[in-house]
Amino acid sequence: QVQLVEFGGGLVHPGGSLRLSCVHSGSDFKYRAMGWFRQAPASQRELVAGITAGGVYKNYANFAKGRFTISRDNDNNTLYLQMNDLEPDDTAVYYCNERPPLDVWGRGTLVTVSS
């Protein structure tokens, strides 16, 4: 069973930056489209950004465009999310998963944007 481990979250001031990482335990990571998702308190989980298996094509939620960048390292089974110009509304637990998502999710990594 694939395991997904996210890390890199933390407390940051508005306007700050964070880089999230996600390690995928499967041997077929390089063949899988991937995505970052987030879930804010009392909200449903939503897609933040997606990337194709080869990393060429990327898509972003409107709120992420121009601020967030998704990337991947297929040699090391790792997915990244560079987040710049963070806003309080970005506060959420961030998860990675395949696209379409597996039934299993990691624990996520908490991002808190607050002054």
Side-chain angles (χ1 to χ4, degrees):
Q1 186 177 14
V2 169
Q3 291 185 321
L4 301 161
V5 180
E6 304 91 349
F7 55 96
L11 173 63
V12 63
H13 293 309
S17 298
L18 283 173
R19 188 193 197 202
L20 307 184
S21 301
C22 162
V23 177
H24 181 291
S25 69
S27 60
D28 58 352
F29 172 77
K30 63 183 177 182
Y31 301 117
R32 302 298 184 186
M34 296 292 298
W36 282 99
F37 303 80
R38 73 182 188 183
Q39 188 167 17
S43 298
Q44 292 194 340
R45 190 173 291 160
E46 61 182 348
L47 177 68
V48 176
I51 187 169
T52 53
V56 174
Y57 298 104
K58 306 173 185 182
N59 66 288
Y60 297 91
N62 285 337
F63 62 79
K65 289 178 181 177
R67 300 189 299 130
F68 296 0
T69 303
I70 189 171
S71 61
R72 64 191 296 161
D73 178 352
N74 284 346
D75 291 334
N76 291 293
N77 279 29
T78 304
L79 181 73
Y80 300 101
L81 185 69
Q82 176 67 43
M83 304 189 295
N84 299 327
D85 195 21
L86 284 160
E87 304 169 353
D89 283 349
D90 296 317
T91 295
V93 178
Y94 285 71
Y95 303 87
C96 68
N97 210 320
E98 297 183 6
R99 295 193 70 193
L102 300 169
D103 289 338
V104 62
W105 291 81
R107 292 185 173 184
T109 186
L110 175 63
V111 172
T112 303
V113 185
S114 175
S115 54

